[in-house]
Amino acid sequence: MTPFRLSMMAVVGMAPLMAMAADIQPTSGLWQGQATLLGQDGCPPQMVDQMPGAFSENANYGPQQITFPDPFTPESFVGDFAWVKLGENHWQAAFQQSNQTGMGALVADHKIDLYVRSETALEQISVLQVTFPPSLAQMLGTSAPCVISSRVDHRYAGP
């Protein structure tokens, strides 16, 4: 068998695998989501005390009508951010917000990873890091940046 023929057989044999590896197109329609606090580190006690309530019923949405572009991009779904495609069914957005306070700059760095798990399920992992000005951090009883990790499970609810 010639090298060319072997190469062609390999390509033809891989075609089903390549088709299976294509990006998933989420179904347009009604979607709902549920947020879960994954953890926190270095946050002031006052913020930690409020986190369970913030991730209760208030952190859920839906059902909400969503029409996804084909091919899928997250812009119509999760915020108006600059999304970068990192791999099959994996998108990421990162942004920073800085607010001047009377004690200095309060800086929030946010990173969101969005995974298309199936036509009816998406998973969003968010990491928010808040850096307090030193004098405010001291008042709040922390010396480290406050890091909050959360997950939102988005589920298709119907047409």
Side-chain angles (χ1 to χ4, degrees):
M1 201 173 292
T2 68
F4 175 75
R5 188 167 177 169
L6 283 172
S7 296
M8 289 307 293
M9 287 177 63
V11 169
V12 169
M14 289 181 62
L17 294 175
M18 290 171 22
M20 288 174 31
D23 283 327
I24 299 168
Q25 177 65 37
T27 303
S28 292
L30 291 176
W31 283 76
Q32 56 191 29
Q34 181 176 355
T36 304
L37 176 65
L38 298 177
Q40 64 79 29
D41 186 43
C43 297
Q46 305 91 307
M47 286 180 69
V48 173
D49 291 344
Q50 294 176 9
M51 286 181 193
F55 283 90
S56 62
E57 292 179 24
N58 297 335
N60 300 327
Y61 77 88
Q64 174 182 339
Q65 185 72 33
I66 301 173
T67 302
F68 295 108
D70 189 0
F72 173 76
T73 59
E75 285 83 6
S76 65
F77 184 60
V78 185
D80 187 22
F81 312 121
W83 289 93
V84 175
K85 189 171 196 284
L86 296 182
E88 290 176 9
N89 303 304
H90 181 193
W91 297 81
Q92 186 177 82
F95 53 95
Q96 184 179 77
Q97 182 177 0
S98 181
N99 293 315
Q100 286 300 322
T101 70
M103 301 176 146
L106 179 82
V107 180
D109 292 294
H110 200 162
K111 183 182 85 167
I112 303 170
D113 283 280
L114 181 68
Y115 301 91
V116 181
R117 299 295 187 200
S118 72
E119 293 174 350
T120 59
L122 294 98
E123 179 183 31
Q124 174 186 329
I125 304 293
S126 298
V127 177
L128 174 65
Q129 177 176 301
V130 180
T131 305
F132 301 101
S135 55
L136 180 57
Q138 185 178 11
M139 282 178 50
L140 295 172
T142 186
S143 60
C146 169
V147 179
I148 304 166
S149 301
S150 63
R151 180 183 75 236
V152 180
D153 294 305
H154 305 276
R155 300 281 184 251
Y156 177 74

